[in-house]
Each structure stands twice: as C-alpha cells, then as structure tokens.
Amino acid sequence: GENVGLHLPTLSVQEGDNSIINCAYSNSASDYFIWYKQESGKGPQFIIDIRSNMDKRQGQRVTVLLNKTVKHLSLQIAATQPGDSAVYFCAESNTGGFKTIFGAGTRLFVKA
Amino acid sequence: KAGVTQTPRYLIKTRGQQVTLSCSPISGHRSVSWYQQTPGQGLQFLFEYFSETQRNKGNFPGRFSGRQFSNSRSEMNVSTLELGDSALYLCASSFGKGTNTEAFFGQGTRLTVV
C-alpha cells in the first residue's frame, strides 16, 4: 500500500492542555492537506484543511501549520477536551489528482 | 442535508465469494472515492470516480473494481474474496471539480471474510 502501516503513535494529554499532532508527508507535488478525526465506529471527519500557498490556518480551537521545506504538517488543538479523544489522520493531495493519501494516524488520549 | 450513506454496514462473506458495496454521496457531489482501512495498513486509496469515470486508481489488484452511476451513486466490487480483504471500506464524496475540496466520509462497511 501507499501508506505503510506501523503501530499507531499515541499522544496522551491532560484535559485543558494543548495538543500537537505531527505528520510528515511524502509528495513534494502535494498542494492540499487535510486533517481528519476518526472516532471509534465512525468514518473520518474533516477538521481543517490548508493549501500549499499558506503556512498557517486557524479554525475553532484548531490550527494547522504547514512547512513545505521539510514536508511537515502539524495540528494544534487548544484546550483539549475528552471529546477530542480519537485517531487523527493527516492527508495529502494535489490539485487535479483527486487522489488523497493518508498518513498512518495518531491516537490522541485525553485524560480527565 | 443527508450525509454519505454506505450500505450495508456489516457483511460476512466466505473466501472465494464476491461482494458489492454501495455508496450514496451527498447531494450535489460528483466525486466518490473509496478507501480500505485495516489496522495493519491504515487508510489506503482504492479509486476515485467523477461523472461516471474512474479518474484515479490506487495500487490494488484487479479483483477490486468500481463504478459510478449517473446519479453519482457508486458501487465497489471485490471478486474472489481473500481473508486479507477483511477491512472497513470507506467512501468519501466531494464536489470534485477544480481545486480539491473537503471530502465527507460515510460510516463505512465492515467486511469480514471467513
């Protein structure tokens, strides 16, 4: 497959703290990046996206940072809540390609 | 508006059989992508359809096929099922035109091959 499976990295944070989830993408030609959240038994849910002409984009409690030089993407969640516990996937795509490649995912545990 | 609907939610098949999964996209969306999700390999892209045409394909054997109808509904078929095909199959829909836009996922079909 195109995203090699590994054991899922896990991030454990205290409720109220900020979380940072990191992702390295593979294709220099990718120009559209998305973060998804997947809760148990559900399909991935869109959180936030960013295009390659930006290096930062903010949503409600979430911020995505893009560093094209090192092909790195991060998701910052402010004031993490128990409801944020899920697996988070980064995904890359390129305009016109319509083929989205997902990272392996990071499991976020929020301790109350 | 209604989200992406996948049917059935759960399926058990025997090795060697074939299976057809269905995906109804969000109204107005013309792109449907299919993914296979397994614990060992994560989310892997199968193929993407737009206006009844396959626009992109992942690295899966020919046993995996799909199609899209004029109403944008899509089906994927897996023939000669193998134990390793047991997975959650997800479809996602988007407008799919011009620059990439947000894709919405269904809840998936959990396929178990025994």
Side-chain angles (χ1 to χ4, degrees):
Chain A
E2 287 170 311
N3 51 338
V4 177
L6 302 170
H7 68 276
L8 214 53
T10 299
L11 175 66
S12 187
V13 301
Q14 199 67 40
E15 181 180 1
D17 286 352
N18 297 333
S19 303
I20 300 177
I21 301 172
N22 296 304
C23 175
Y25 64 92
S26 55
N27 188 353
S28 308
S30 294
D31 60 6
Y32 179 61
F33 305 90
I34 319 104
W35 279 100
Y36 286 94
K37 171 187 179 184
Q38 187 175 25
E39 296 173 285
S40 182
K42 298 182 179 179
Q45 179 186 4
F46 173 93
I47 301 173
I48 191 168
D49 60 1
I50 187 168
R51 299 193 186 278
S52 58
N53 60 351
M54 303 173 69
D55 52 22
K56 180 179 180 179
R57 188 160 188 232
Q58 286 185 288
Q60 188 176 19
R61 283 203 306 120
V62 294
T63 301
V64 55
L65 299 177
L66 174 63
N67 185 330
K68 295 182 289 293
T69 304
V70 295
K71 292 191 286 186
H72 184 268
L73 200 61
S74 70
L75 176 71
Q76 300 178 1
I77 304 173
T80 315
Q81 302 167 1
D84 295 326
S85 294
V87 177
Y88 289 81
F89 293 95
C90 68
E92 58 179 303
S93 184
N94 62 299
T95 303
F98 301 103
K99 176 179 177 179
T100 303
I101 306 300
F102 282 80
T106 296
R107 186 179 301 280
L108 176 66
F109 281 114
V110 182
K111 296 175 286 186
Chain B
K1 58 183 174 183
V4 178
T5 304
Q6 290 188 246
T7 56
R9 287 292 311 278
Y10 302 93
L11 208 47
I12 299 175
K13 288 286 189 178
T14 306
R15 267 184 306 175
Q17 286 187 311
Q18 67 93 27
V19 67
T20 299
L21 312 181
S22 179
C23 174
S24 293
I26 289 172
S27 178
H29 285 187
R30 293 166 64 188
S31 169
V32 174
S33 299
W34 286 91
Y35 297 85
Q36 181 195 65
Q37 186 173 31
T38 60
Q41 292 293 317
L43 263 162
Q44 297 201 81
F45 174 80
L46 281 153
F47 27 67
E48 186 254 354
Y49 287 86
F50 180 82
S51 291
E52 302 178 66
T53 300
Q54 187 182 87
R55 265 197 315 202
N56 236 309
K57 191 176 187 304
N59 298 329
F60 278 81
R63 300 186 297 106
F64 292 81
S65 63
R67 59 178 175 168
Q68 187 179 34
F69 302 95
S70 58
N71 62 356
S72 294
R73 191 177 70 84
S74 178
E75 289 180 347
M76 70 162 280
N77 185 278
V78 187
S79 62
T80 320
L81 283 164
E82 301 176 0
L83 295 178
D85 297 332
S86 294
L88 180 67
Y89 290 87
L90 291 157
C91 84
S93 80
S94 69
F95 288 109
K97 196 173 181 181
T99 55
N100 281 320
T101 56
E102 178 182 346
F104 294 84
F105 281 84
Q107 290 200 291
T109 294
R110 171 78 60 188
L111 172 65
T112 302
V113 182
V114 297

